[in-house]
Amino acid sequence: MRAVLFDVDDTLLDFRGADAEGFGRHLADLRPGLGPAETAAARERWRFWGAHFFARFTGGDLTFPEQRRRRARAVCADLGLPLAAGPDAADAWFAGYLRHCERALRAFPDAGPALDALRAGGIRVGAVSNSGHANQDRRLRLVGLRGRLQAMVCVDDAGGVGKPDPGIFRAGCAALGVAPAEAAYVGDHLDHDARAATAAGLTGYWLDRAATGAEPGPPVVTGLAELVPLFVPATEGSRP
Ligand SMILES: [Mg+2]
């Protein structure tokens, strides 16, 4: 294996945690005094509309800014929050959430050390993400990981279509100068990451951080440190 490509959200960085905290704080700004049950119900609507409109972005149907605007509008409609007409108002609303989300964003503690150890062992490392390039570039910089990745391919780098389409995985391999058969792919989504990468000719690994062990199929790791001995021979790299 000459390269390892990574999913970004909930693989290298804890986006789910930052999203939940960021939305909770944004909502508290907009409607102070909400109880935990109401906040949890609102967060469920936020997640629902996020998944709905993001799938339309990765399917090539909406632009990245437009999926954000539609998500903001749908959530405001569900929760009875005021939002003026037009894209500027929706963008400003979303920016309020994003400020809180980015403040809460953290890399998983095993991400940086695993990337460094793989590179020290001669393995090329990169990212393939279903988000927009500028967005993921910013997130990875905020958590200190962008400079450790030798390439990053997002939906807008790959003709507007994301995982599970094989094209985006192959574009990631090309960006690192390796063939799909020479690359592993690691991600937290069993179908869109592990199985889809395998279907594209890479070796897909499912990152099962909760160690549910529920699904047979692709090889599984429960943390990123487990990747290092798989790809870096013990006589090389950063080990004594
Ligand atoms: Mg993910």
Side-chain angles (χ1 to χ4, degrees):
M1 209 61 79
R2 294 177 60 209
V4 182
L5 288 158
F6 292 84
D7 168 54
V8 175
D9 291 338
D10 302 311
T11 294
L12 294 176
L13 51 82
D14 182 9
F15 180 70
R16 198 168 297 142
D19 175 65
E21 185 175 331
F23 179 73
R25 290 182 185 277
H26 185 42
L27 187 62
D29 288 345
L30 298 169
R31 190 171 280 172
L34 276 188
E38 291 163 302
T39 300
R43 197 177 270 134
E44 178 50 40
R45 299 314 296 158
W46 176 246
R47 286 205 191 99
F48 172 82
W49 287 119
H52 174 81
F53 289 115
F54 204 79
R56 290 185 58 187
F57 163 67
T58 58
D61 181 35
L62 293 176
T63 65
F64 192 76
E66 191 56 28
Q67 57 87 20
R68 286 181 162 181
R69 291 172 191 139
R70 300 230 188 158
R71 184 184 189 188
R73 291 211 174 281
V75 166
C76 287
D78 278 0
L79 304 183
L81 295 166
L83 180 58
D88 291 351
D91 287 347
W93 192 98
F94 201 95
Y97 149 75
L98 208 54
R99 270 193 298 278
H100 290 300
C101 177
E102 290 186 342
R103 218 169 281 149
L105 198 59
R106 301 283 181 272
F108 287 110
D110 58 4
L115 294 173
D116 290 346
L118 289 167
R119 282 188 69 170
I123 302 292
R124 294 177 202 185
V125 297
V128 170
S129 170
N130 265 6
S131 195
H133 190 102
N135 185 60
Q136 291 308 62
D137 189 78
R138 179 174 168 82
R139 278 186 199 163
L140 287 164
R141 282 182 202 286
L142 284 170
V143 301
L145 293 180
R146 182 64 187 92
R148 290 157 136 144
L149 294 162
Q150 292 160 292
M152 182 175 72
V153 171
C154 296
V155 167
D156 42 350
D157 304 310
V161 177
K163 302 175 283 185
D165 189 279
I168 193 167
F169 293 103
R170 291 174 187 154
C173 294
L176 286 178
V178 300
E182 298 174 311
Y185 186 80
V186 185
D188 67 293
H189 197 291
L190 182 63
D191 288 324
H192 286 188
D193 291 328
R195 287 179 175 147
T198 300
L202 298 78
T203 302
Y205 283 79
W206 180 37
L207 175 62
D208 180 18
R209 285 194 183 274
T212 61
E215 292 286 344
V220 179
V221 291
T222 59
L224 300 181
E226 291 169 36
L227 296 168
V228 179
L230 291 176
F231 301 122
V232 179
T235 52
E236 292 178 22
S238 57
R239 289 194 240 178

PDB file of all heavy atoms in Angstrom, residues 207-240:
ATOM      1  N   LEU A 207     -14.131   2.848   9.907  1.00  0.00           N
ATOM      2  CA  LEU A 207     -13.736   3.343  11.220  1.00  0.00           C
ATOM      3  C   LEU A 207     -14.944   3.265  12.142  1.00  0.00           C
ATOM      4  O   LEU A 207     -15.885   4.048  12.015  1.00  0.00           O
ATOM      5  CB  LEU A 207     -13.231   4.792  11.112  1.00  0.00           C
ATOM      6  CG  LEU A 207     -12.888   5.486  12.435  1.00  0.00           C
ATOM      7  CD1 LEU A 207     -11.762   4.765  13.169  1.00  0.00           C
ATOM      8  CD2 LEU A 207     -12.527   6.954  12.192  1.00  0.00           C
ATOM      9  N   ASP A 208     -14.902   2.316  13.039  1.00  0.00           N
ATOM     10  CA  ASP A 208     -16.000   2.057  13.975  1.00  0.00           C
ATOM     11  C   ASP A 208     -15.529   2.479  15.359  1.00  0.00           C
ATOM     12  O   ASP A 208     -15.174   1.658  16.191  1.00  0.00           O
ATOM     13  CB  ASP A 208     -16.343   0.552  13.916  1.00  0.00           C
ATOM     14  CG  ASP A 208     -17.470   0.174  14.855  1.00  0.00           C
ATOM     15  OD1 ASP A 208     -18.219   1.068  15.301  1.00  0.00           O
ATOM     16  OD2 ASP A 208     -17.606  -1.028  15.149  1.00  0.00           O
ATOM     17  N   ARG A 209     -15.528   3.809  15.593  1.00  0.00           N
ATOM     18  CA  ARG A 209     -14.952   4.319  16.843  1.00  0.00           C
ATOM     19  C   ARG A 209     -15.683   3.795  18.073  1.00  0.00           C
ATOM     20  O   ARG A 209     -15.098   3.666  19.133  1.00  0.00           O
ATOM     21  CB  ARG A 209     -14.962   5.851  16.849  1.00  0.00           C
ATOM     22  CG  ARG A 209     -13.902   6.476  15.958  1.00  0.00           C
ATOM     23  CD  ARG A 209     -13.740   7.964  16.275  1.00  0.00           C
ATOM     24  NE  ARG A 209     -12.774   8.620  15.401  1.00  0.00           N
ATOM     25  CZ  ARG A 209     -11.457   8.639  15.634  1.00  0.00           C
ATOM     26  NH1 ARG A 209     -10.965   8.037  16.699  1.00  0.00           N
ATOM     27  NH2 ARG A 209     -10.656   9.260  14.798  1.00  0.00           N
ATOM     28  N   ALA A 210     -16.974   3.523  17.939  1.00  0.00           N
ATOM     29  CA  ALA A 210     -17.739   3.022  19.080  1.00  0.00           C
ATOM     30  C   ALA A 210     -17.555   1.518  19.260  1.00  0.00           C
ATOM     31  O   ALA A 210     -18.112   0.942  20.196  1.00  0.00           O
ATOM     32  CB  ALA A 210     -19.212   3.354  18.891  1.00  0.00           C
ATOM     33  N   ALA A 211     -16.790   0.893  18.355  1.00  0.00           N
ATOM     34  CA  ALA A 211     -16.543  -0.553  18.426  1.00  0.00           C
ATOM     35  C   ALA A 211     -17.842  -1.336  18.526  1.00  0.00           C
ATOM     36  O   ALA A 211     -17.979  -2.244  19.335  1.00  0.00           O
ATOM     37  CB  ALA A 211     -15.595  -0.884  19.574  1.00  0.00           C
ATOM     38  N   THR A 212     -18.805  -0.961  17.694  1.00  0.00           N
ATOM     39  CA  THR A 212     -20.081  -1.682  17.687  1.00  0.00           C
ATOM     40  C   THR A 212     -19.897  -3.078  17.110  1.00  0.00           C
ATOM     41  O   THR A 212     -20.606  -4.008  17.483  1.00  0.00           O
ATOM     42  CB  THR A 212     -21.117  -0.939  16.834  1.00  0.00           C
ATOM     43  OG1 THR A 212     -20.630  -0.853  15.489  1.00  0.00           O
ATOM     44  CG2 THR A 212     -21.372   0.457  17.365  1.00  0.00           C
ATOM     45  N   GLY A 213     -18.951  -3.184  16.142  1.00  0.00           N
ATOM     46  CA  GLY A 213     -18.684  -4.490  15.547  1.00  0.00           C
ATOM     47  C   GLY A 213     -19.901  -5.097  14.894  1.00  0.00           C
ATOM     48  O   GLY A 213     -19.982  -6.308  14.689  1.00  0.00           O
ATOM     49  N   ALA A 214     -20.879  -4.267  14.552  1.00  0.00           N
ATOM     50  CA  ALA A 214     -22.167  -4.803  14.128  1.00  0.00           C
ATOM     51  C   ALA A 214     -22.175  -5.357  12.712  1.00  0.00           C
ATOM     52  O   ALA A 214     -22.966  -6.234  12.396  1.00  0.00           O
ATOM     53  CB  ALA A 214     -23.220  -3.715  14.247  1.00  0.00           C
ATOM     54  N   GLU A 215     -21.282  -4.852  11.867  1.00  0.00           N
ATOM     55  CA  GLU A 215     -21.420  -5.161  10.446  1.00  0.00           C
ATOM     56  C   GLU A 215     -20.263  -6.000   9.928  1.00  0.00           C
ATOM     57  O   GLU A 215     -19.116  -5.604   9.998  1.00  0.00           O
ATOM     58  CB  GLU A 215     -21.472  -3.855   9.649  1.00  0.00           C
ATOM     59  CG  GLU A 215     -22.716  -3.041   9.898  1.00  0.00           C
ATOM     60  CD  GLU A 215     -23.939  -3.629   9.237  1.00  0.00           C
ATOM     61  OE1 GLU A 215     -23.773  -4.486   8.339  1.00  0.00           O
ATOM     62  OE2 GLU A 215     -25.053  -3.243   9.630  1.00  0.00           O
ATOM     63  N   PRO A 216     -20.566  -7.149   9.370  1.00  0.00           N
ATOM     64  CA  PRO A 216     -19.505  -7.894   8.691  1.00  0.00           C
ATOM     65  C   PRO A 216     -19.201  -7.233   7.352  1.00  0.00           C
ATOM     66  O   PRO A 216     -20.002  -6.452   6.843  1.00  0.00           O
ATOM     67  CB  PRO A 216     -20.130  -9.270   8.483  1.00  0.00           C
ATOM     68  CG  PRO A 216     -21.596  -9.012   8.398  1.00  0.00           C
ATOM     69  CD  PRO A 216     -21.882  -7.783   9.234  1.00  0.00           C
ATOM     70  N   GLY A 217     -18.077  -7.497   6.796  1.00  0.00           N
ATOM     71  CA  GLY A 217     -17.782  -6.966   5.465  1.00  0.00           C
ATOM     72  C   GLY A 217     -16.386  -6.413   5.389  1.00  0.00           C
ATOM     73  O   GLY A 217     -15.411  -7.146   5.519  1.00  0.00           O
ATOM     74  N   PRO A 218     -16.244  -5.102   5.216  1.00  0.00           N
ATOM     75  CA  PRO A 218     -14.907  -4.530   5.032  1.00  0.00           C
ATOM     76  C   PRO A 218     -14.088  -4.628   6.316  1.00  0.00           C
ATOM     77  O   PRO A 218     -14.653  -4.776   7.401  1.00  0.00           O
ATOM     78  CB  PRO A 218     -15.187  -3.058   4.696  1.00  0.00           C
ATOM     79  CG  PRO A 218     -16.535  -2.786   5.234  1.00  0.00           C
ATOM     80  CD  PRO A 218     -17.289  -4.067   5.198  1.00  0.00           C
ATOM     81  N   PRO A 219     -12.751  -4.553   6.212  1.00  0.00           N
ATOM     82  CA  PRO A 219     -11.940  -4.536   7.428  1.00  0.00           C
ATOM     83  C   PRO A 219     -12.288  -3.334   8.305  1.00  0.00           C
ATOM     84  O   PRO A 219     -12.696  -2.288   7.799  1.00  0.00           O
ATOM     85  CB  PRO A 219     -10.505  -4.449   6.897  1.00  0.00           C
ATOM     86  CG  PRO A 219     -10.607  -4.071   5.472  1.00  0.00           C
ATOM     87  CD  PRO A 219     -11.956  -4.474   4.986  1.00  0.00           C
ATOM     88  N   VAL A 220     -12.139  -3.503   9.598  1.00  0.00           N
ATOM     89  CA  VAL A 220     -12.582  -2.499  10.568  1.00  0.00           C
ATOM     90  C   VAL A 220     -11.413  -2.065  11.439  1.00  0.00           C
ATOM     91  O   VAL A 220     -10.588  -2.883  11.832  1.00  0.00           O
ATOM     92  CB  VAL A 220     -13.690  -3.090  11.490  1.00  0.00           C
ATOM     93  CG1 VAL A 220     -14.146  -2.056  12.513  1.00  0.00           C
ATOM     94  CG2 VAL A 220     -14.870  -3.561  10.662  1.00  0.00           C
ATOM     95  N   VAL A 221     -11.329  -0.770  11.730  1.00  0.00           N
ATOM     96  CA  VAL A 221     -10.454  -0.269  12.790  1.00  0.00           C
ATOM     97  C   VAL A 221     -11.330   0.512  13.767  1.00  0.00           C
ATOM     98  O   VAL A 221     -12.344   1.084  13.368  1.00  0.00           O
ATOM     99  CB  VAL A 221      -9.312   0.630  12.250  1.00  0.00           C
ATOM    100  CG1 VAL A 221      -8.299  -0.181  11.455  1.00  0.00           C
ATOM    101  CG2 VAL A 221      -9.849   1.789  11.410  1.00  0.00           C
ATOM    102  N   THR A 222     -10.948   0.527  15.044  1.00  0.00           N
ATOM    103  CA  THR A 222     -11.727   1.292  16.023  1.00  0.00           C
ATOM    104  C   THR A 222     -11.047   2.610  16.384  1.00  0.00           C
ATOM    105  O   THR A 222     -11.582   3.400  17.143  1.00  0.00           O
ATOM    106  CB  THR A 222     -11.977   0.466  17.304  1.00  0.00           C
ATOM    107  OG1 THR A 222     -10.712   0.104  17.862  1.00  0.00           O
ATOM    108  CG2 THR A 222     -12.770  -0.789  16.991  1.00  0.00           C
ATOM    109  N   GLY A 223      -9.850   2.846  15.825  1.00  0.00           N
ATOM    110  CA  GLY A 223      -9.157   4.114  16.019  1.00  0.00           C
ATOM    111  C   GLY A 223      -8.093   4.242  14.940  1.00  0.00           C
ATOM    112  O   GLY A 223      -7.702   3.246  14.316  1.00  0.00           O
ATOM    113  N   LEU A 224      -7.627   5.472  14.723  1.00  0.00           N
ATOM    114  CA  LEU A 224      -6.693   5.693  13.608  1.00  0.00           C
ATOM    115  C   LEU A 224      -5.291   5.169  13.903  1.00  0.00           C
ATOM    116  O   LEU A 224      -4.540   4.858  12.970  1.00  0.00           O
ATOM    117  CB  LEU A 224      -6.664   7.182  13.258  1.00  0.00           C
ATOM    118  CG  LEU A 224      -8.020   7.764  12.824  1.00  0.00           C
ATOM    119  CD1 LEU A 224      -7.881   9.241  12.487  1.00  0.00           C
ATOM    120  CD2 LEU A 224      -8.602   7.007  11.631  1.00  0.00           C
ATOM    121  N   ALA A 225      -4.926   5.030  15.175  1.00  0.00           N
ATOM    122  CA  ALA A 225      -3.596   4.492  15.508  1.00  0.00           C
ATOM    123  C   ALA A 225      -3.428   3.067  14.989  1.00  0.00           C
ATOM    124  O   ALA A 225      -2.307   2.639  14.693  1.00  0.00           O
ATOM    125  CB  ALA A 225      -3.380   4.535  17.016  1.00  0.00           C
ATOM    126  N   GLU A 226      -4.528   2.347  14.866  1.00  0.00           N
ATOM    127  CA  GLU A 226      -4.452   0.959  14.386  1.00  0.00           C
ATOM    128  C   GLU A 226      -3.974   0.879  12.945  1.00  0.00           C
ATOM    129  O   GLU A 226      -3.539  -0.183  12.482  1.00  0.00           O
ATOM    130  CB  GLU A 226      -5.826   0.288  14.504  1.00  0.00           C
ATOM    131  CG  GLU A 226      -6.273   0.050  15.925  1.00  0.00           C
ATOM    132  CD  GLU A 226      -7.737  -0.376  15.989  1.00  0.00           C
ATOM    133  OE1 GLU A 226      -8.209  -1.110  15.098  1.00  0.00           O
ATOM    134  OE2 GLU A 226      -8.421   0.062  16.937  1.00  0.00           O
ATOM    135  N   LEU A 227      -4.071   1.984  12.210  1.00  0.00           N
ATOM    136  CA  LEU A 227      -3.673   1.954  10.796  1.00  0.00           C
ATOM    137  C   LEU A 227      -2.157   1.880  10.635  1.00  0.00           C
ATOM    138  O   LEU A 227      -1.662   1.321   9.657  1.00  0.00           O
ATOM    139  CB  LEU A 227      -4.181   3.209  10.084  1.00  0.00           C
ATOM    140  CG  LEU A 227      -5.694   3.355  10.016  1.00  0.00           C
ATOM    141  CD1 LEU A 227      -6.038   4.771   9.563  1.00  0.00           C
ATOM    142  CD2 LEU A 227      -6.292   2.328   9.065  1.00  0.00           C
ATOM    143  N   VAL A 228      -1.428   2.461  11.567  1.00  0.00           N
ATOM    144  CA  VAL A 228       0.020   2.612  11.385  1.00  0.00           C
ATOM    145  C   VAL A 228       0.720   1.260  11.230  1.00  0.00           C
ATOM    146  O   VAL A 228       1.430   1.041  10.241  1.00  0.00           O
ATOM    147  CB  VAL A 228       0.629   3.478  12.501  1.00  0.00           C
ATOM    148  CG1 VAL A 228       2.132   3.613  12.307  1.00  0.00           C
ATOM    149  CG2 VAL A 228      -0.041   4.857  12.529  1.00  0.00           C
ATOM    150  N   PRO A 229       0.520   0.304  12.156  1.00  0.00           N
ATOM    151  CA  PRO A 229       1.191  -0.992  11.961  1.00  0.00           C
ATOM    152  C   PRO A 229       0.684  -1.766  10.745  1.00  0.00           C
ATOM    153  O   PRO A 229       1.391  -2.654  10.253  1.00  0.00           O
ATOM    154  CB  PRO A 229       0.896  -1.745  13.270  1.00  0.00           C
ATOM    155  CG  PRO A 229      -0.231  -1.036  13.910  1.00  0.00           C
ATOM    156  CD  PRO A 229      -0.181   0.379  13.446  1.00  0.00           C
ATOM    157  N   LEU A 230      -0.497  -1.425  10.267  1.00  0.00           N
ATOM    158  CA  LEU A 230      -1.000  -2.118   9.068  1.00  0.00           C
ATOM    159  C   LEU A 230      -0.212  -1.722   7.819  1.00  0.00           C
ATOM    160  O   LEU A 230      -0.060  -2.514   6.896  1.00  0.00           O
ATOM    161  CB  LEU A 230      -2.478  -1.773   8.832  1.00  0.00           C
ATOM    162  CG  LEU A 230      -3.494  -2.312   9.834  1.00  0.00           C
ATOM    163  CD1 LEU A 230      -4.881  -1.775   9.498  1.00  0.00           C
ATOM    164  CD2 LEU A 230      -3.508  -3.839   9.804  1.00  0.00           C
ATOM    165  N   PHE A 231       0.267  -0.472   7.785  1.00  0.00           N
ATOM    166  CA  PHE A 231       0.855   0.036   6.542  1.00  0.00           C
ATOM    167  C   PHE A 231       2.330   0.404   6.652  1.00  0.00           C
ATOM    168  O   PHE A 231       2.986   0.591   5.629  1.00  0.00           O
ATOM    169  CB  PHE A 231       0.065   1.260   6.050  1.00  0.00           C
ATOM    170  CG  PHE A 231      -1.378   0.948   5.809  1.00  0.00           C
ATOM    171  CD1 PHE A 231      -2.376   1.640   6.462  1.00  0.00           C
ATOM    172  CD2 PHE A 231      -1.731  -0.068   4.931  1.00  0.00           C
ATOM    173  CE1 PHE A 231      -3.714   1.324   6.249  1.00  0.00           C
ATOM    174  CE2 PHE A 231      -3.066  -0.386   4.711  1.00  0.00           C
ATOM    175  CZ  PHE A 231      -4.062   0.312   5.377  1.00  0.00           C
ATOM    176  N   VAL A 232       2.820   0.555   7.871  1.00  0.00           N
ATOM    177  CA  VAL A 232       4.235   0.910   8.045  1.00  0.00           C
ATOM    178  C   VAL A 232       4.951  -0.290   8.656  1.00  0.00           C
ATOM    179  O   VAL A 232       4.634  -0.682   9.783  1.00  0.00           O
ATOM    180  CB  VAL A 232       4.392   2.140   8.967  1.00  0.00           C
ATOM    181  CG1 VAL A 232       5.869   2.471   9.161  1.00  0.00           C
ATOM    182  CG2 VAL A 232       3.662   3.335   8.376  1.00  0.00           C
ATOM    183  N   PRO A 233       5.893  -0.891   7.924  1.00  0.00           N
ATOM    184  CA  PRO A 233       6.618  -2.029   8.484  1.00  0.00           C
ATOM    185  C   PRO A 233       7.328  -1.639   9.779  1.00  0.00           C
ATOM    186  O   PRO A 233       7.780  -0.500   9.932  1.00  0.00           O
ATOM    187  CB  PRO A 233       7.644  -2.385   7.396  1.00  0.00           C
ATOM    188  CG  PRO A 233       7.093  -1.780   6.142  1.00  0.00           C
ATOM    189  CD  PRO A 233       6.319  -0.562   6.574  1.00  0.00           C
ATOM    190  N   ALA A 234       7.428  -2.589  10.721  1.00  0.00           N
ATOM    191  CA  ALA A 234       7.946  -2.297  12.060  1.00  0.00           C
ATOM    192  C   ALA A 234       9.385  -1.807  12.042  1.00  0.00           C
ATOM    193  O   ALA A 234       9.826  -1.130  12.948  1.00  0.00           O
ATOM    194  CB  ALA A 234       7.848  -3.530  12.934  1.00  0.00           C
ATOM    195  N   THR A 235      10.123  -2.128  10.982  1.00  0.00           N
ATOM    196  CA  THR A 235      11.535  -1.735  10.915  1.00  0.00           C
ATOM    197  C   THR A 235      11.700  -0.325  10.375  1.00  0.00           C
ATOM    198  O   THR A 235      12.793   0.198  10.326  1.00  0.00           O
ATOM    199  CB  THR A 235      12.308  -2.691  10.005  1.00  0.00           C
ATOM    200  OG1 THR A 235      11.608  -2.776   8.758  1.00  0.00           O
ATOM    201  CG2 THR A 235      12.417  -4.054  10.645  1.00  0.00           C
ATOM    202  N   GLU A 236      10.584   0.295   9.935  1.00  0.00           N
ATOM    203  CA  GLU A 236      10.691   1.613   9.329  1.00  0.00           C
ATOM    204  C   GLU A 236       9.917   2.640  10.143  1.00  0.00           C
ATOM    205  O   GLU A 236       9.280   2.312  11.117  1.00  0.00           O
ATOM    206  CB  GLU A 236      10.127   1.603   7.903  1.00  0.00           C
ATOM    207  CG  GLU A 236      10.949   0.785   6.932  1.00  0.00           C
ATOM    208  CD  GLU A 236      10.291   0.782   5.559  1.00  0.00           C
ATOM    209  OE1 GLU A 236       9.502   1.705   5.293  1.00  0.00           O
ATOM    210  OE2 GLU A 236      10.583  -0.133   4.799  1.00  0.00           O
ATOM    211  N   GLY A 237       9.967   3.866   9.645  1.00  0.00           N
ATOM    212  CA  GLY A 237       9.099   4.897  10.186  1.00  0.00           C
ATOM    213  C   GLY A 237       9.544   5.384  11.536  1.00  0.00           C
ATOM    214  O   GLY A 237      10.723   5.405  11.859  1.00  0.00           O
ATOM    215  N   SER A 238       8.546   5.788  12.344  1.00  0.00           N
ATOM    216  CA  SER A 238       8.858   6.521  13.552  1.00  0.00           C
ATOM    217  C   SER A 238       9.119   5.609  14.743  1.00  0.00           C
ATOM    218  O   SER A 238       9.343   6.077  15.838  1.00  0.00           O
ATOM    219  CB  SER A 238       7.689   7.438  13.867  1.00  0.00           C
ATOM    220  OG  SER A 238       6.513   6.673  13.977  1.00  0.00           O
ATOM    221  N   ARG A 239       9.033   4.301  14.532  1.00  0.00           N
ATOM    222  CA  ARG A 239       9.192   3.431  15.704  1.00  0.00           C
ATOM    223  C   ARG A 239      10.653   3.164  16.044  1.00  0.00           C
ATOM    224  O   ARG A 239      11.500   3.174  15.165  1.00  0.00           O
ATOM    225  CB  ARG A 239       8.510   2.113  15.407  1.00  0.00           C
ATOM    226  CG  ARG A 239       7.018   2.324  15.406  1.00  0.00           C
ATOM    227  CD  ARG A 239       6.388   1.049  15.446  1.00  0.00           C
ATOM    228  NE  ARG A 239       5.561   0.868  14.286  1.00  0.00           N
ATOM    229  CZ  ARG A 239       4.914  -0.263  14.120  1.00  0.00           C
ATOM    230  NH1 ARG A 239       5.116  -1.259  14.920  1.00  0.00           N
ATOM    231  NH2 ARG A 239       4.111  -0.375  13.119  1.00  0.00           N
ATOM    232  N   PRO A 240      10.920   2.893  17.292  1.00  0.00           N
ATOM    233  CA  PRO A 240      12.320   2.623  17.687  1.00  0.00           C
ATOM    234  C   PRO A 240      12.814   1.291  17.116  1.00  0.00           C
ATOM    235  O   PRO A 240      12.036   0.436  16.787  1.00  0.00           O
ATOM    236  CB  PRO A 240      12.253   2.560  19.209  1.00  0.00           C
ATOM    237  CG  PRO A 240      10.821   2.280  19.543  1.00  0.00           C
ATOM    238  CD  PRO A 240      10.003   2.880  18.452  1.00  0.00           C
TER     239      PRO A 240
END
